[in-house]
Amino acid sequence: MAPSNTGTVMLRLALALCVLAVASPAHSTPPPLRVGVIGAFTGGSAPMGLAMRAGVRLAAEQVNRTGGVLGRQVELVERDDGGVPAIGASHARALSAPPAVDAVIGFVNTPVALPALDQLQARKIPTLIAVATASELTRRHAGEATHYIFRVATPDTLQAELIVREAISERGLRRVAILADNSAYGAGGERELTHALARRGLTPVLVQRFGAHERDLGGAVRAAREAGAELVLTYALGPQLAAIADAMAQQGWRVPLMGSWTLALPNFIDHAGPAAEGARMVQTLIEDGSDPAQQAFVATLRTRQHTRRLSSPVAAAQGHDALLLWAAALRQAGSSQPDAVVTALEQLREPVDGVLARYYRPFSRHDHEAVDARIPLIGVVRGGRVGFAHPQDKARLRPDLTRTP
C-alpha cells in the first residue's frame, strides 16, 4: 500500500533533519586558535627558552579557563630550535605555511630570530618576541606598510643605557672595558654600550670580541686589566660570562662585572660560583619582589617546577604577558585576521593585567616595544641568587604602562 502524502512529507523531513544533524553537529566546537611557540628548549640557551615556554603555557591556561578568545580555545604549537638559526627558520617556515598558526610567540637567541622573523613578516604572521633583545629585531621591518613584529622584552638600546647609567651615574666609574661575543647579539650589544658611553662623552678603554663558543677568556680579561679598566661590561651568554668571571677571579682582579640580563641566568651563576657574586644586570622581574601579582606568578611556577629558584623569571614573565596582549588584541579586533590583530595591538584599548605591568596601549603604529624605562631595574648576584641592587626597588609595585595615543 502506497504511503499517504502526509507520511511522505514526514519521511522526507526526518531524512533532511538527519542529514543536517550530520553536517552540523549540535555540540560542535569552533577550531582552536593556534599559537606557535618557538624557542631553545634544549642546548645552552634552554634556561631562557624553557622559562619562556612555562610563562606562555600559564597564560594560555588562564585564557582557556575563562572561555578562551572569541569562544575558541588557545592551542600551543611548541617547537624547539635548540639555539640553531637554521632550525628556527625551518620552524618559522613550517608554522607560517597553510594552515598557518594564528600567531607566534618566542625567540630566545637573536641569531635565530633574525632569519625566522623575515619569514613571519613576509607571511603576515603576528609575532611577539618574548626574550631576544637585539634592537634590530623590531626595526628591521618597521618601514613596511604593516609591521607584524612586536616585542615584550627590554631592547638592547634601553638595556645599554641602564647599564651605563648604573656604572657611570650611580657608581662613578669611567674607565670601561667591553667584552662581547661576536654573534649578532654580542655585536649589537657592544654597539649599544659604545653609543651609551659616547652620549656621556666617554670611550671604552678596550672593546674585545670573542667567539660565540670560546671558553678560555683569560686573554680578554688580561687585556682589559692592562688597559686600566675600572669595570667590565659584558654582552654574551651564560657559559662565556662564567668564563669571564672565573678568569677575573684567577687573576685576582677585583673590579665590578656588569652587563645585560643574561648575567642572571643559572648557567652563569652556578658555573661561576663565588666569582659571580656582585655581578649586576638589567632585569624586568626579580623573584622576591613585593608586588602581589608577581609573587603569585613566581609561586605558581616554583610549585609546578619543584624548585626554589626559577631558571629565568624574566623570560617566563615576558612570555606570559606576550600571550595576554595577543589575546586582548583578538578580543578587540573580533577576529584572528592578521592585519586586524596588528591594528588592535597598535591601538589596544583594553587594559591588560600582566605580570610585569598593567598595560594601557603598550604599542603604537611606530613603536612595537612594550617594555620602556618604567619596567626594568638593576639586579645583583648575592648568595647564588639574583636580588635587588637597590633596596628601594624591592618595594616597587608593577607600573601602569600607559602610552599616549
Side-chain angles (χ1 to χ4, degrees):
M1 183 165 114
S4 67
N5 288 340
T6 301
T8 301
V9 171
M10 292 299 292
L11 180 60
R12 288 176 178 172
L13 180 59
L15 290 172
L17 289 173
C18 288
V19 170
L20 192 61
V22 171
S24 303
H27 301 292
S28 66
T29 56
L33 292 158
R34 298 168 65 242
V35 177
V37 183
I38 305 176
F41 308 141
T42 57
S45 296
M48 298 178 276
L50 293 172
M52 176 195 73
R53 186 179 70 179
V56 174
R57 286 178 174 180
L58 200 59
E61 290 175 18
Q62 177 182 332
V63 168
N64 287 337
R65 275 198 308 270
T66 56
V69 186
L70 305 178
R72 299 167 66 183
Q73 293 285 285
V74 174
E75 176 186 294
L76 302 182
V77 184
E78 300 171 351
R79 296 291 183 268
D80 176 17
D81 61 46
V84 179
I87 296 176
S90 176
H91 289 325
R93 185 165 51 250
L95 292 180
S96 60
V101 295
D102 296 288
V104 165
I105 295 173
F107 301 111
V108 168
N109 305 96
T110 292
V112 176
L114 285 167
L117 292 174
D118 288 344
Q119 295 189 46
L120 295 168
Q121 170 71 22
R123 297 190 181 187
K124 303 182 178 181
I125 305 296
T127 301
L128 289 96
I129 304 166
V131 180
T133 58
S135 301
E136 181 184 359
L137 297 179
T138 51
R139 295 174 179 172
R140 196 177 181 94
H141 299 286
E144 298 186 25
T146 303
H147 185 197
Y148 296 88
I149 313 302
F150 298 78
R151 175 158 46 198
V152 186
T154 311
D156 287 339
T157 302
L158 178 55
Q159 284 199 75
E161 176 63 25
L162 296 174
I163 293 164
V164 169
R165 182 190 304 171
E166 178 73 10
I168 307 304
S169 302
E170 295 289 335
R171 309 193 71 178
L173 303 171
R174 302 179 68 81
R175 294 184 60 79
V176 179
I178 300 175
L179 305 184
D181 71 39
N182 61 7
S183 71
Y185 171 67
E190 179 267 306
R191 284 194 300 270
E192 298 291 359
L193 288 172
T194 301
H195 293 160
L197 288 168
R199 288 192 288 271
R200 292 162 172 82
L202 298 175
T203 302
V205 298
L206 175 77
V207 174
Q208 186 82 23
R209 298 270 188 88
F210 45 83
H213 300 288
E214 194 170 340
R215 294 295 180 265
D216 182 1
L217 297 177
V221 168
R222 190 173 299 107
R225 183 178 187 179
E226 291 173 354
E230 297 176 306
L231 81 155
V232 173
L233 300 185
T234 62
Y235 246 87
L237 299 181
Q240 295 165 304
L241 297 171
I244 291 171
D246 286 342
M248 292 172 67
Q250 290 166 9
Q251 296 177 27
W253 189 38
R254 300 182 181 278
V255 298
L257 179 65
M258 300 172 59
S260 64
W261 74 281
T262 53
L263 280 165
L265 293 174
N267 56 7
F268 163 66
I269 296 172
D270 295 345
H271 293 174
E277 290 294 299
R280 296 192 178 206
M281 78 298 292
V282 176
Q283 296 283 272
T284 54
L285 177 65
I286 293 175
E287 288 188 64
D288 60 344
S290 299
D291 184 271
Q294 293 180 350
Q295 289 177 338
F297 177 77
V298 168
T300 298
L301 288 182
R302 282 177 177 169
T303 298
R304 290 187 174 202
Q305 297 176 4
H306 308 288
T307 182
R308 297 184 62 187
R309 185 189 69 175
L310 301 180
S311 63
S312 178
V314 166
Q318 291 166 183
H320 175 276
D321 288 6
L323 189 134
L324 292 189
L325 289 168
W326 167 79
L330 259 72
R331 284 191 289 269
Q332 179 172 309
S335 165
S336 60
Q337 196 277 330
D339 285 11
V341 173
V342 168
T343 298
L345 280 168
E346 292 176 341
Q347 304 172 16
L348 201 59
R349 297 186 298 270
E350 174 188 337
V352 176
D353 195 20
V355 172
L356 299 182
R358 289 176 291 270
Y359 301 92
Y360 300 85
R361 303 186 72 99
F363 304 111
S364 72
R365 174 65 185 90
H366 302 292
D367 185 355
H368 283 198
E369 302 282 5
V371 175
D372 67 15
R374 288 170 287 183
I375 291 179
L377 39 77
I378 302 297
V380 62
V381 179
R382 294 195 188 100
R385 301 178 66 88
V386 176
F388 294 89
H390 304 290
Q392 65 271 22
D393 286 341
K394 183 176 175 62
R396 194 179 76 167
L397 301 179
R398 290 171 302 153
D400 288 332
L401 199 66
T402 305
R403 298 274 179 87
T404 303

